[in-house]
Amino acid sequence: MSSIAVNGGLQRTASFYQSVVGKKVVMAATGFILSGFVLGHMIGNLQVFQGPEKLNHYAELLQSLGGALWAIRFVLLASVVLHIIAAFQLWLLKNSARPQAYVKKASIATSYAARTMIWSGPIVLAFLIYHILHFTTGQALGSQFVKGDVYHNVIVGFRHVGVSVFYIVANILLAIHLYHGVWSMFQSVGVNHPKYTPMLKTLAKIYGWVVGVGNVSIPLAVLTGVIGASVK
Amino acid sequence: MKIILNIWRQKDVKSAGKMVRYEVPTVNEHMSFLEMIDVLNEDLTRKGEDPVAFEHDCREGICGCCGFMINGIPHGPERGTTVCQLHMRHFQDGDELWLEPFRAKAFPVLKDLMVDRSAFDRIIAAGGYVSVNTGSAPDGNALPIMKQCAEMAMDAAACIGCGACVASCPNASASLFVSAKISHLALLPQGQAERDRRAMRMVVKMTEEGFGYCTNTGECEAVCPKGVKIENIARMHRDYIKSAFTYREESTAGGAG
Amino acid sequence: MALKLDSKIPSGPIEQKWDKAKFEMKLVNPANKRKFTVIVVGSGLAGGSAAASLGELGYNVLCFCFQDTPRRAHSIAAQGGINAAKNYQNDGDSIYRLFYDTVKGGDFRAREANVYRLAQVSVDIIDQCVAQGVPFAREYGGVLANRSFGGAQVSRTFYARGQTGQQLLLGCYQALERQVDAGKVKMFYRHELLDVVIIDGRARGIVTRDLATGAVESYAADAVVLATGGYGNVFYLSTNAKGSNATAIWRAYKKGAAFGNPCFTQIHPTCIPQSGDYQSKLTLMSESLRNDGRIWVPKQKSDSRGANAIPEGERDYYLERRYPAFGNLCPRDIASRAAKVVCDEGYGVGPGGRGVYLDFSDSIQRLGRHTIEERYGNLFEIYERITGDDPYSTPMRIYPAVHYTMGGLWVDYNLQSTIPGLFVLGEANFSDHGANRLGASALMQGLADGYFVIPYTMGNYLAGVKPGGVDENHSEFRAVKEKVSGQTRQLLSIRGRKTVDDFHRELGKVMWEYCGMGRNEAGLKHALERIPEIREEFWKNVNVPGSEGELNQSLERAGRVADFLELGELMCRDALIREESCGGHFREEYQTEDGEAKRDDEKFCHAAVWEYAGADKEPIRNIEPLNFEYVHLVQRSYK
């Protein structure tokens, strides 16, 4: 008789996740949260162009959220962890699904973004860790870190050319990651229609560009001296 | 014209294989690709060497038997065609080509360019059907079906089960194949009764067979000889999610009498 | 010893025969069905539907196919459609008309009772397939669409684009896989039948070779069903799949199953012409193309102008001219022969003058490119892929090719061969198409046999025998296994200078030349001398590389060609003795003044049933007289 059991309860959640589709749904759902976050984060950060008061006030506002901030942080952290675990498991699966590689293999449809997801991801993760140490907890900035003066930290941080270049490269990769990820997450949860999917792909492209340009503009503006003249 | 072939030779499922170089000096542009290998095989046989094993049957692009990689692309460089329908007029004199079997854990190589695709049958057996015993059908016109639904079902049902989608996928996923069957039946009223169960069981079986997952690269639809679209994969995901969240236990209450 | 042929046709009016037979058949109690094992060889429309239906009923089914999965069976390549007497078009169709058309189309060489049953169950087939999810073409209102086919004046053909065979086979394959999942059918892939095992006069099993490993294996059962398709590949070039073979039916014949009408082969009029010596097979273009395509040749011999450069007035639409009532939709045998005639006379087009035009320009003008694309898009693509020409702008070039074999193992009304317990379904049997099959009737017959006939007649047979009693250790199984292994070893030991395909091509040329579209006494006699010579050389000079215990495609082909080399001879023998022309069998000596087939109902209104008499002995020709009580014997006219 049939060997396929369809279970209930906890087992059901587990078996949902165990399937190749389940893992992709987790990737898509967490990707959705994270891509929403990066856009919001970027818009918030652009206040750097409006001067120190505006940006620091925004930071204070976020800090004043208290418990809610921690809830958001928890959701984001959980999303990052799940996104990474699922990605890692899928990567393992990819290798086990084709143990012997082709002598010659051409790809004819895969976009650059899709092909690079697997290493744009880890680099963005490394960047994320550095970014938190840099501007949130301050270890990476060392003695120059002034708790509460976000504007100061940003300007000082980005005056290091090496750091800025790392930020710029990582954010370009993030933009590329988003380009494939943003339309792909819709496909993974089952949204595809010949009329709307091309639009969605265009939207994903715009999304990637907007986040990328927005994020890259800050270190560039600091390096070129457009902002931050007030900080010594 | 002359064609140079580097062909994967592997004695059996347990042995290791390697690329071997052959020259076919007398290729006619009207030949099909497989006819060119026939010519090579006749030569090898006359020379007392082992001919190249490859899968083929109908040679009109519908049975789904044939298929191997030509320069890293399943069924070769022409779009929307199986290798048996690929003609040599698309190649140039002196071209050097690399022929390899489809590679995936779920498709063990049997010999040379032949692989075992029985995993596909086991996935179909898991739910790729409408459970209707012979004789119990209502009149064919009892249930009107929107023309467009019938057409879309046909688009998905056109899949020939060749495995090119798995071969081309960077993750060796069978999503296009599995979703084509799920879609074919999900688009028709006859397929509704078992729709959730089918999606659940076929996806679980696909995972068990060791196929990879879909990263939405679109390689599969680009090489599919029948033009099956990844829109079907989205439908499969949709059906699977719905069934995973709404599935009810089958009642175990016994029948009366 | 002459065979006693009992066709077991039920008595009574033709409309009631099948119902009466079904009622009179013995039944197997539901609880006892699981005690019986049935072997089904072949997984196409006939075998697949039989295995699935028998599994549903509760029998243990072992199903074998030589391909890597049952979905590859050559039924998949059928393009045009499947007939059924639904009369959804309100155009005067009925079971009786389908019956009449099929008997007439077969040139009065089929059994009336079988054909009537076929027409009766045709309507159930469509219902069954729709319920399985076969995506038949639909009208905007959601109802099933129909198209016309050759040999009929009503629209009764159901279709799924140009892939009807594929879709019906997938429906049947899915039903089969459902039974595999339910544990009622065990599927054996890449297994080729090498012999049938007969114990105490009953078919009790088969011996197979596992093509992946080379292992020779035995399987015992209570009954054996052969649904292994036709033998068109005896001609080397045909529209059959490369793997299609006659080994199962031929070896059953040599075990005592009689062979009916071996010379009845169908040459399909619309195939893509051969392009060179390396050609490995011919590709069919569905007959449905003749609905909207017009066939013509230039009025001038050896006209070297391109098709589009020939003005309307200089074209000869020879089918419309000769057969005004049916025009381009006359039956296959007639259309094929007409093409041969114009090409023989020097009007042919393309390389070697072996081709005629099939032109869609009128239809494209009348219906628009979109409609033509919707109806035939995939066929046009196939054509363009193979030839490099675009049929939307230049007419297709077509030529007849071997397509189907109406002959096959003789079966009675219950589809049982002359060996008790050995049933034969689909193209492998001889039963329903007479001397010519109408388009879209092969799918109908395969599914009728498998879904709606064998479930009843198998029960009737099994109800009369005790289950089991014999297993694979029986001495007969061991003897047969030893014999087939011996043949394999012999083939491998020759190591001659010619390849298997060399011999196959040689046989094919002889068959096509002398036993093809036109046959005559001198040619057939010549073929009967040539074929034994080729066969003798084969067994001395063939080179089969490799060994027994491995995947060895040359060895597979060698075994099949060895059988074709014997079967070809029987076909020529049958063609020589049948001194009349009927359907696909056209003896040049027997034709009317205007070149139509001339039957001889006095002498040949019967099925020729050949009985194997042993190696090197002439086979015995038995006859089963055919009685036509409902359709009166007339000369077919499609004018």
Side-chain angles (χ1 to χ4, degrees):
Chain A
M1 288 300 278
S2 164
S3 61
I4 300 156
V6 178
N7 305 307
L10 250 187
Q11 266 181 308
R12 181 187 294 192
T13 316
S15 62
F16 173 75
Y17 183 71
Q18 268 160 17
S19 80
V20 286
V21 176
K23 287 191 183 64
K24 284 297 290 183
V25 171
V26 169
M27 288 296 282
T30 53
F32 184 78
I33 294 169
L34 294 171
S35 56
F37 167 73
V38 294
L39 182 68
H41 187 58
M42 186 273 291
I43 293 168
N45 288 350
L46 285 182
Q47 295 177 61
V48 77
F49 288 101
Q50 291 173 294
E53 292 77 21
K54 194 82 182 171
L55 185 68
N56 287 346
H57 178 73
Y58 168 63
E60 274 165 36
L61 180 78
L62 291 180
Q63 289 297 330
S64 69
L65 291 174
L69 179 64
W70 280 105
I72 293 167
R73 279 176 172 165
F74 175 77
V75 169
L76 289 173
L77 186 66
S79 298
V80 168
V81 170
L82 284 173
H83 201 75
I84 291 167
I85 292 175
F88 183 67
Q89 289 183 329
L90 287 170
W91 178 73
L92 288 179
L93 195 60
K94 169 197 175 97
N95 292 331
S96 85
R98 180 170 293 132
Q100 183 165 16
Y102 285 110
V103 175
K104 242 185 184 330
K105 174 78 172 75
S107 44
I108 52 178
T110 314
S111 66
Y112 181 77
R115 223 171 321 166
T116 52
M117 291 303 268
I118 199 62
W119 58 266
S120 62
I123 293 175
V124 168
L125 171 66
F127 161 72
L128 177 69
I129 294 168
Y130 180 80
H131 182 55
I132 291 171
L133 293 174
H134 199 200
F135 290 143
T136 313
T137 60
Q139 281 88 343
L141 211 52
S143 58
Q144 288 176 301
F145 183 72
V146 179
K147 194 167 166 55
D149 191 349
V150 177
Y151 187 81
H152 169 269
N153 294 340
V154 168
I155 303 296
V156 173
F158 285 148
R159 279 186 183 159
H160 294 273
V161 177
V163 170
S164 281
V165 168
F166 177 49
Y167 264 79
I168 291 167
V169 170
N171 275 294
I172 291 172
L173 286 175
L174 174 65
I176 294 172
H177 198 85
L178 283 172
Y179 161 52
H180 179 74
V182 167
W183 94 262
S184 182
M185 66 198 183
F186 286 96
Q187 167 81 8
S188 291
V189 295
V191 179
N192 185 319
H193 190 283
K195 195 167 163 192
Y196 305 111
T197 296
M199 289 190 222
L200 211 54
K201 283 190 178 179
T202 310
L203 181 78
K205 218 175 256 181
I206 295 169
Y207 201 97
W209 270 102
V210 166
V211 172
V213 169
N215 280 339
V216 167
S217 72
I218 302 172
L220 266 186
V222 174
L223 277 184
T224 53
V226 173
I227 53 168
S230 63
V231 177
K232 290 282 167 285
Chain B
M1 57 187 185
K2 183 168 98 175
I3 298 285
I4 297 153
L5 299 172
N6 296 285
I7 305 178
W8 183 264
R9 301 304 307 264
Q10 180 172 335
K11 194 173 179 308
D12 54 37
V13 73
K14 289 186 204 105
S15 311
K18 63 172 194 301
M19 284 299 210
V20 179
R21 193 170 187 277
Y22 299 95
E23 281 186 14
V24 190
T26 52
V27 178
N28 179 304
E29 59 161 7
H30 293 299
M31 278 179 181
S32 71
F33 202 92
L34 297 187
E35 282 167 349
M36 174 184 65
I37 303 184
D38 288 342
V39 169
L40 170 68
N41 277 345
E42 293 272 291
D43 280 354
L44 290 176
T45 305
R46 286 196 185 92
K47 281 193 268 180
E49 291 175 41
D50 193 24
V52 179
F54 64 96
E55 199 107 51
H56 66 107
D57 200 22
C58 78
R59 296 207 179 187
E60 31 187 290
I62 192 74
C63 75
C65 269
C66 69
F68 45 77
M69 308 294 277
I70 302 174
N71 288 354
I73 304 172
H75 297 298
E78 288 294 301
R79 300 279 58 85
T81 185
T82 54
V83 69
C84 65
Q85 296 273 282
L86 175 65
H87 281 68
M88 296 313 293
R89 68 178 76 92
H90 300 295
F91 296 90
Q92 305 284 321
D93 185 30
D95 274 358
E96 182 163 7
L97 308 173
W98 276 263
L99 314 187
E100 270 183 275
F102 289 171
R103 295 198 189 280
K105 182 174 115 190
F107 286 176
V109 176
L110 293 175
K111 186 178 181 180
D112 301 341
L113 301 175
M114 286 172 79
V115 297
D116 177 1
R117 289 165 289 192
S118 54
F120 274 6
D121 293 313
R122 293 189 289 275
I123 294 172
I124 296 294
Y129 44 75
V130 176
S131 296
V132 50
N133 281 1
T134 305
S136 55
D139 185 85
N141 265 346
L143 208 52
I145 299 177
M146 216 169 92
K147 183 173 160 71
Q148 196 168 15
C149 286
E151 296 290 334
M152 283 165 66
M154 181 65 215
D155 287 338
C159 166
I160 55 174
C162 65
C165 47
V166 175
S168 68
C169 177
N171 315 300
S173 170
S175 290
L176 194 67
F177 169 79
V178 179
S179 68
K181 188 47 65 194
I182 287 177
S183 282
H184 158 210
L185 297 172
L187 285 161
L188 296 171
Q190 288 82 5
Q192 298 312 310
E194 290 168 285
R195 184 171 178 172
D196 288 359
R197 182 174 183 269
R198 178 182 310 119
M200 175 66 94
R201 286 169 54 102
M202 288 179 75
V203 167
V204 170
K205 192 70 191 166
M206 159 171 75
T207 310
E208 277 176 16
E209 290 290 342
F211 289 104
Y213 55 99
C214 174
T215 47
N216 313 323
T217 64
E219 282 299 322
C220 53
E221 78 177 356
V223 302
C224 176
K226 298 293 149 183
V228 177
K229 295 273 174 274
I230 60 170
E231 188 188 344
N232 294 304
I233 300 182
R235 191 176 289 106
M236 170 174 83
H237 283 215
R238 208 149 70 214
D239 280 10
Y240 176 75
I241 295 166
K242 174 173 176 272
S243 102
F245 285 102
T246 60
Y247 181 75
R248 286 169 189 248
E249 293 301 300
E250 278 169 38
S251 168
T252 49
Chain C
M1 176 190 89
L3 282 171
K4 243 188 98 215
L5 295 169
D6 178 5
S7 60
K8 300 208 179 85
I9 297 170
S11 58
I14 198 155
E15 299 82 3
Q16 289 164 25
K17 282 183 196 287
W18 179 230
D19 284 340
K20 182 165 178 288
K22 281 196 286 188
F23 179 72
E24 285 171 358
M25 275 179 201
K26 286 176 276 183
L27 300 172
V28 180
N29 173 313
N32 285 339
K33 286 197 177 99
R34 62 172 178 267
K35 295 178 188 161
F36 289 101
T37 300
V38 178
I39 284 173
V40 177
V41 187
S43 65
L45 286 182
S49 59
S53 301
L54 292 169
E56 285 163 10
L57 285 171
Y59 300 109
N60 296 307
V61 180
L62 311 178
C63 185
F64 295 80
C65 67
F66 74 80
Q67 300 94 337
D68 68 327
T69 143
R71 67 183 288 158
R72 311 279 188 230
H74 194 53
S75 306
I76 204 155
Q79 299 169 346
I82 176 166
N83 287 331
K86 282 285 198 185
N87 193 29
Y88 283 154
Q89 303 304 324
N90 197 28
D91 59 356
D93 200 9
S94 63
I95 289 170
Y96 200 89
R97 186 174 297 281
L98 175 55
F99 155 69
Y100 175 87
D101 286 348
T102 307
V103 171
K104 179 186 167 200
D107 218 354
F108 304 93
R109 291 295 174 262
R111 231 185 249 148
E112 275 191 334
N114 282 56
V115 178
Y116 194 87
R117 175 178 65 190
L118 178 66
Q120 267 178 309
V121 302
S122 70
V123 295
D124 300 329
I125 294 171
I126 299 303
D127 299 343
Q128 184 64 30
C129 295
V130 168
Q132 287 172 344
V134 171
F136 283 120
R138 302 258 163 188
E139 305 291 352
Y140 280 105
V143 295
L144 292 157
N146 288 115
R147 58 165 58 139
S148 321
F149 244 69
Q153 286 174 314
V154 293
S155 247
R156 61 159 78 96
T157 304
F158 295 80
Y159 63 100
R161 295 200 189 137
Q163 290 124 283
T164 318
Q166 179 200 24
Q167 293 309 316
L168 295 175
L169 183 68
L170 291 182
C172 158
Y173 156 73
Q174 287 161 205
L176 181 64
E177 290 297 337
R178 175 174 160 242
Q179 292 310 305
V180 170
D181 187 55
K184 291 313 295 179
V185 175
K186 193 161 168 11
M187 197 60 225
F188 295 86
Y189 310 119
R190 298 187 196 274
H191 275 63
E192 179 146 84
L193 181 145
L194 291 184
D195 214 344
V196 181
V197 178
I198 317 286
I199 296 171
D200 299 331
R202 282 174 54 203
R204 292 309 302 268
I206 59 173
V207 171
T208 61
R209 181 169 180 272
D210 181 335
L211 301 181
T213 65
V216 176
E217 296 158 0
S218 301
Y219 297 92
D222 297 292
V224 176
V225 175
L226 299 184
T228 53
Y231 49 90
N233 270 347
V234 75
F235 291 87
Y236 185 68
L237 285 182
S238 80
T239 65
N240 286 8
K242 290 297 283 177
S244 299
N245 66 81
T247 291
I249 57 171
W250 189 249
R251 298 197 180 175
Y253 163 76
K254 288 167 85 173
K255 276 285 164 70
F259 207 117
N261 299 328
C263 79
F264 286 173
T265 48
Q266 178 167 78
I267 315 286
H268 197 289
T270 49
C271 300
I272 301 176
Q274 187 177 350
S275 71
D277 291 335
Y278 47 79
Q279 189 100 17
S280 59
K281 79 153 275 160
L282 296 169
T283 302
L284 174 83
M285 289 282 99
S286 168
E287 170 167 316
S288 61
L289 291 171
R290 289 199 274 143
N291 268 314
D292 291 306
R294 298 178 70 195
I295 293 176
W296 61 274
V297 288
K299 280 186 177 164
Q300 189 185 316
K301 280 187 188 179
S302 320
D303 196 328
S304 59
R305 291 174 291 178
N308 291 330
I310 300 173
E312 190 63 28
E314 293 174 38
R315 300 175 176 192
D316 177 15
Y317 295 91
Y318 59 90
L319 286 178
E320 295 169 24
R321 174 170 56 78
R322 285 175 61 179
Y323 308 101
F326 281 69
N328 293 299
L329 281 175
C330 61
R332 289 177 175 177
D333 54 334
I334 289 175
S336 293
R337 222 153 36 235
K340 181 179 189 283
V341 169
V342 292
C343 292
D344 286 349
E345 287 168 355
Y347 297 100
V349 296
R354 291 277 134 196
V356 300
Y357 289 123
L358 177 61
D359 194 340
F360 289 87
S361 49
D362 276 5
S363 307
I364 292 174
Q365 230 161 30
R366 193 176 70 244
L367 304 163
R369 184 183 158 122
H370 178 76
T371 308
I372 295 299
E373 211 171 308
E374 202 177 73
R375 286 185 192 166
Y376 311 111
N378 71 316
L379 299 172
F380 279 34
E381 271 170 38
I382 292 177
Y383 183 84
E384 184 169 2
R385 218 170 283 139
I386 293 175
T387 61
D389 294 338
D390 172 21
Y392 291 103
S393 56
T394 48
M396 287 183 177
R397 275 185 305 109
I398 54 160
Y399 196 67
V402 174
H403 177 54
Y404 187 88
T405 50
M406 282 74 67
L409 291 183
W410 182 90
V411 289
D412 62 19
Y413 188 72
N414 294 337
L415 305 182
Q416 185 170 248
S417 69
T418 50
I419 300 173
L422 183 72
F423 294 79
V424 190
L425 317 187
E427 190 179 349
N429 75 25
F430 92 120
S431 70
D432 296 351
H433 305 296
N436 174 53
R437 178 176 66 74
L438 289 183
S441 283
L443 303 182
M444 172 172 70
Q445 187 220 341
L447 291 178
D449 287 0
Y451 282 137
F452 296 108
V453 180
I454 195 73
Y456 295 93
T457 60
M458 180 58 77
N460 182 54
Y461 171 76
L462 292 175
V465 300
K466 274 209 178 73
V470 166
D471 68 8
E472 290 84 355
N473 296 317
H474 191 281
S475 60
E476 183 62 18
F477 273 101
R478 274 180 286 150
V480 172
K481 219 168 144 176
E482 191 39 52
K483 197 194 97 199
V484 298
S485 302
Q487 188 187 358
T488 303
R489 282 193 295 272
Q490 198 187 344
L491 282 169
L492 287 164
S493 68
I494 301 167
R495 304 281 170 189
R497 284 196 310 276
K498 282 163 93 173
T499 65
V500 174
D501 280 0
D502 287 337
F503 287 100
H504 198 175
R505 267 190 287 264
E506 214 171 327
L507 171 70
K509 273 197 191 121
V510 172
M511 292 301 294
W512 179 244
E513 195 60 37
Y514 304 110
C515 198
M517 262 188 290
R519 302 155 174 186
N520 60 54
E521 187 182 346
L524 289 165
K525 282 187 170 158
H526 175 73
L528 283 169
E529 282 168 19
R530 269 303 286 146
I531 295 169
E533 286 166 15
I534 301 172
R535 191 167 62 226
E536 196 177 329
E537 198 200 341
F538 174 85
W539 285 102
K540 280 185 191 144
N541 197 23
V542 72
N543 183 357
V544 185
S547 66
E548 191 182 346
E550 61 172 349
L551 196 161
N552 186 340
Q553 292 179 314
S554 307
L555 178 62
E556 294 164 25
R557 282 204 300 277
R560 294 168 190 166
V561 171
D563 291 331
F564 285 139
L565 283 165
E566 296 177 7
L567 170 58
E569 188 180 342
L570 184 72
M571 290 166 67
C572 294
R573 207 178 281 281
D574 188 41
L576 180 64
I577 295 184
R578 190 171 279 277
E579 293 179 328
E580 64 161 350
S581 293
C582 58
H585 170 66
F586 190 76
R587 280 287 298 267
E588 285 155 4
E589 304 94 318
Y590 307 96
Q591 50 181 310
T592 62
E593 277 158 19
D594 44 3
E596 303 297 338
K598 199 164 131 194
R599 285 199 324 269
D600 184 345
D601 293 327
E602 292 273 298
K603 275 157 72 187
F604 292 101
C605 192
H606 59 239
V609 187
W610 292 87
E611 183 187 355
Y612 185 68
D616 308 319
K617 287 207 185 98
E618 282 208 8
I620 302 157
R621 186 178 191 269
N622 300 274
I623 59 169
E624 181 202 340
L626 296 170
N627 300 313
F628 291 91
E629 296 171 35
Y630 294 87
V631 186
H632 295 296
L633 286 162
V634 287
Q635 196 206 318
R636 283 193 307 172
S637 169
Y638 290 94
K639 294 195 169 174

